[in-house]
Amino acid sequence: MLKKHLLPVVVFLCVFLLQLNTANAECHKTALENLFRQKVETEKLTENIDFIYFPKAGFYAISHIELNVKDNLWHTLFNTTKGSPYAVAERNAKIGGKSFYRFRLKVSPDELNRLQNYLDEGAKTARLQTCVSGACRALNRSGILYIPPPFSKIPLLSAVYLRLMKLSRARRIESVHFVGKSQLKSLFTAEVAVESFYALQSVCLGVFVVESIDEAGRKFIDWIRVDEKPSP
């Protein structure tokens, strides 16, 4: 019985360590240090971005994540695509459109520029990623925030993770706001129910499959773009 309960934990730890080993270690270090550093240097965090969680995506089987950077929404499914202005999404939510949770993150001007450059580059490059893994990778690569798996693989869990960070008084999380007409109604959706069941029943298997495809796709895309690599 004990072995049965330990197996998911071992699988998750293996996948987590694999991600740490294959991802950008320097960005992980920077993001973690910025999140938990004891000496708060708030004067450097003069800019804001938003991590947007849509509980009801409308046409997806799961919920949806977007980033609000410089007052424009960015989709990070497969590649990065510049969407509508944030003001449009906020106005639509308030009159009965897709409601969302806005997690406002504090960033430095350099981090904001790195994030913008990463998104601009992604608009020209195919990336095998989901909306949530793409958004989390963008934050990590910019040195802003590292969201570990399985939280970085499931939209609902990424929102829960940021909410927990806010409760722990992490200096990166400035505020959490619901934008829409009915917060209770927005959470009683098929998307949230599917993700909750998935997270509770099969998160380890899901993380392993998604992570394997994600990593294999990234390596394949890097391999076929040999013309962009500097010669030895």
Side-chain angles (χ1 to χ4, degrees), residues 2-202:
L2 182 59
K3 291 182 179 180
K4 180 180 179 181
H5 290 292
L6 283 177
L7 181 59
V9 177
V10 173
V11 172
F12 169 73
L13 288 176
C14 290
V15 174
F16 180 73
L17 292 174
L18 176 64
Q19 166 128 349
L20 286 178
N21 185 55
T22 57
N24 191 320
E26 188 60 34
C27 282
H28 284 174
K29 180 181 178 182
T30 301
L32 289 170
E33 284 179 348
N34 287 338
L35 181 62
F36 294 109
R37 185 182 299 157
Q38 295 299 319
K39 183 180 179 181
V40 179
E41 300 173 356
T42 54
E43 67 276 5
K44 292 185 178 181
L45 303 180
T46 57
E47 306 290 340
N48 293 303
I49 63 168
D50 295 326
F51 189 92
I52 306 293
Y53 169 62
F54 293 92
K56 186 173 179 59
F59 52 90
Y60 293 114
I62 59 175
S63 53
H64 185 51
I65 297 293
E66 294 183 11
L67 294 176
N68 174 29
V69 181
K70 296 183 178 179
D71 295 322
N72 272 290
L73 295 182
W74 285 83
H75 312 262
T76 53
L77 180 62
F78 298 118
N79 59 357
T80 55
T81 306
K82 189 175 182 179
S84 61
Y86 170 78
V88 173
E90 184 176 55
R91 182 172 64 251
N92 290 340
K94 290 180 178 179
I95 62 175
K98 290 191 295 184
S99 302
F100 59 86
Y101 287 86
R102 185 192 72 198
F103 296 86
R104 178 144 291 176
L105 309 181
K106 296 186 288 187
V107 301
S108 70
D110 287 343
E111 291 167 345
L112 179 61
N113 289 333
R114 285 200 298 269
L115 176 59
Q116 185 66 66
N117 291 337
Y118 180 83
L119 295 174
D120 289 336
E121 291 172 3
K124 309 171 187 176
T125 306
R127 291 171 175 162
L128 188 59
Q129 61 188 19
T130 63
C131 63
V132 60
S133 67
C136 292
R137 180 179 290 120
L139 296 180
N140 175 39
R141 294 296 176 87
S142 306
I144 296 172
L145 180 66
Y146 175 57
I147 301 178
F151 303 100
S152 61
K153 303 304 176 185
I154 305 174
L156 174 63
L157 292 187
S158 67
V160 170
Y161 181 84
L162 291 181
R163 180 56 180 159
L164 291 175
M165 289 296 95
K166 174 60 178 175
L167 293 175
S168 69
R169 301 184 181 277
R171 72 192 189 99
R172 281 286 181 178
I173 316 299
E174 181 178 278
S175 61
V176 181
H177 287 292
F178 173 77
V179 181
K181 297 190 72 174
S182 174
Q183 183 173 187
L184 185 62
K185 184 178 179 180
S186 71
L187 291 176
F188 282 93
T189 65
E191 290 88 345
V192 172
V194 168
E195 287 181 35
S196 298
F197 177 81
Y198 175 76
L200 292 173
Q201 300 297 323
S202 57

